[in-house]
Amino acid sequence: MKAWSVTQINRYIKSMFVQDVLLSSLLVEGEVTNCKYHSAGHIYFTLKDSGGSLSCIMFAGNRRMLKFPMKDGDRVTVCGSVDVYERDGRYQLYAKEIRPAGAGELYERFLRLKAELEEMGMFDPSYKKPIPRYARTVGIVTAPGGAAVRDIQNIARRRNPFVRLILYPSLVQGDGAAESLVRGLEALDRAGVDVIIIGRGGGSYEDLQAFNEESVARAIFACGTPVISAVGHETDTTIADYTADLRAPTPSAAAELAVFDCRQFLSDVEGRRLRITRGFRRKLQQAKEQAAFRERRFRLLSPEARIRDGRRRLTLLSERLENGMRARIQGSRGRCGDLETRIRAASFERLKKARIRQDLLITRFAGASPVERLRQGYSYAAGPDGKAVTSIRQVRPGDRFRLYVTDGVVSAEVKETESYGGRE
């Protein structure tokens, strides 16, 4: 035969438990022993009777369904499923809801009705109507002399004394309570109130049975007016809570949800008024600025403004031209003055140099002048041919020649010639 592993056996046994419809949802009644509250929020306990015991666990996520502090010795009815914990190969009851054993039959009926209505979609969030934010008329279906109506009145008076409260006095427990609640819902729905509060104060599980009736659930679902359910204390949950558009843990909390705070409303209105006023002033200022801007643009774009601007530009250009011409003339005059001064200085310098050169030339010319040479004792002899006699070979004895001196001419005749070396 093939040998199976422990894990395979445990997994096979678990699959058998999963496939068993009976074990997937059942009620088990017994006495609580070995009850331990874990730090993670889970509750571990054992259910026993005269014939045996069953390990149980309630996870922290389902613990909110526990309406009382469970302890050893309590007789309870547990709603849950039986499954196998594969690691230890141990089966146990996984508890979803726990009630005292005295209410076992009612609780079983509650679970069946809840499952039936949930399957019909009566708890679907898509059918929930929004609670009006500023309700002016609030309908109340509850006992006229109970603590619930007094709590609602006190809260409503404190939050908003202007809200109108309409009470439909109804039975909240006992025979005929469900029918009375249905009539109250229908009457207030026809009266056209803004929101309806249906509820009562706390009580035992049996006391709350009127709110677990199918007729009440259907009346709430069919109501055209938004309904707030406020049944019992925070730990008590009824079919009416699941069907209503909004569940409040207490009647006082329902009043807080249904009646808007008048002071907060007035504060909000004042805040909105201030914001609107500031926004209006800001818009008005923006409009004024825009109008002024458009007026300036209109003036700038008008023919008169264009002509005026053209004249101003022409005047400005004329002034700039005149100033430019004046500046150029002044610059030219300044340059002319500079040139005149430079020309005069250059002319004077050149004239001075010319005079110096003239004096030098005159001096040189005077030194080279024949007359001046004659004055110095020199004379000039010219032969018969009129040429200057510069050599004794040009004349012979007997030749006539003219001798030029300072103050005249001397006519002479050559008698003899003599060279510097001797007489010839």
Side-chain angles (χ1 to χ4, degrees), residues 73-349:
D74 289 344
R75 288 195 60 80
V76 296
T77 301
V78 180
C79 175
S81 61
V82 178
D83 204 347
V84 174
Y85 186 44
E86 285 189 40
R87 193 191 69 179
D88 295 343
R90 179 167 55 91
Y91 71 90
Q92 55 189 351
L93 176 62
Y94 292 86
K96 294 182 180 178
E97 296 186 38
I98 302 176
R99 291 284 181 173
E105 183 179 350
L106 293 175
Y107 186 57
E108 186 175 358
R109 178 186 170 196
F110 166 81
L111 293 177
R112 285 199 305 269
L113 179 59
K114 176 186 173 186
E116 179 183 348
L117 297 180
E118 185 173 13
E119 186 178 357
M120 294 173 61
M122 293 179 64
F123 304 158
D124 195 318
S126 62
Y127 293 112
K128 305 296 183 184
K129 294 180 286 295
I131 305 302
R133 185 175 180 181
Y134 301 110
R136 292 178 294 178
T137 305
V138 178
I140 306 168
V141 181
T142 189
V149 69
R150 290 194 299 271
D151 292 342
I152 294 173
Q153 288 174 339
N154 292 334
I155 296 296
R157 189 179 300 111
R158 175 174 59 81
R159 289 177 64 83
N160 190 350
F162 303 103
V163 170
R164 183 185 179 192
L165 301 179
I166 300 179
L167 172 65
Y168 184 94
S170 172
L171 298 175
V172 294
Q173 68 182 64
D175 295 336
E179 292 77 4
S180 181
L181 293 172
V182 170
R183 288 194 298 270
L185 288 168
E186 293 174 348
L188 292 176
D189 190 27
R190 289 193 301 269
V193 298
D194 297 317
V195 63
I196 298 174
I197 298 176
I198 179 172
R200 56 159 293 162
S204 65
Y205 191 76
E206 291 80 0
D207 294 338
L208 303 180
Q209 286 310 299
F211 296 91
N212 286 325
E213 295 292 336
E214 182 177 358
S215 59
V216 175
R218 290 186 176 277
I220 293 174
F221 186 79
C223 191
T225 306
V227 177
I228 300 177
S229 174
V231 180
H233 300 293
E234 294 187 20
T235 57
D236 296 319
T237 305
T238 65
I239 296 296
D241 295 327
Y242 291 110
T243 315
D245 299 296
L246 182 64
R247 187 222 173 199
T250 63
S252 298
E256 295 276 353
L257 295 170
V259 179
F260 67 96
D261 192 337
C262 181
R263 290 168 298 182
Q264 183 62 43
F265 173 77
L266 293 177
S267 176
D268 293 343
V269 170
E270 179 63 18
R272 290 175 182 270
R273 187 189 68 81
L274 292 176
R275 288 195 296 273
I276 291 173
T277 301
R278 286 195 294 266
F280 176 76
R281 290 176 178 174
R282 184 170 60 254
K283 289 290 186 181
L284 182 61
Q285 182 63 29
Q286 292 175 353
K288 288 182 179 179
E289 293 175 357
Q290 191 175 16
F293 172 74
R294 291 181 176 178
E295 182 180 1
R296 289 194 298 271
R297 285 195 62 187
F298 177 76
R299 290 178 179 177
L300 291 174
L301 296 176
S302 65
E304 182 181 357
R306 290 188 175 185
I307 294 173
R308 185 169 57 252
D309 290 344
R311 288 176 178 175
R312 281 200 295 265
R313 285 195 296 271
L314 181 61
T315 302
L316 180 62
L317 291 174
S318 298
E319 292 178 354
R320 290 175 62 184
L321 179 62
E322 183 177 353
N323 293 333
M325 293 296 295
R326 187 181 295 111
R328 294 188 65 179
I329 291 172
Q330 289 178 353
S332 298
R333 286 178 178 176
R335 287 192 296 274
C336 288
D338 293 339
L339 290 174
E340 183 180 0
T341 301
R342 290 170 62 186
I343 290 172
R344 286 180 180 179
S347 300
F348 178 76
E349 187 66 23

Side-chain angles (χ1 to χ4, degrees), residues 357-374:
R357 186 177 181 185
Q358 181 182 7
D359 293 340
L360 179 61
L361 291 174
I362 291 172
T363 302
R364 292 176 63 184
F365 181 76
S369 173
V371 176
E372 187 64 25
R373 292 291 182 90
L374 293 175

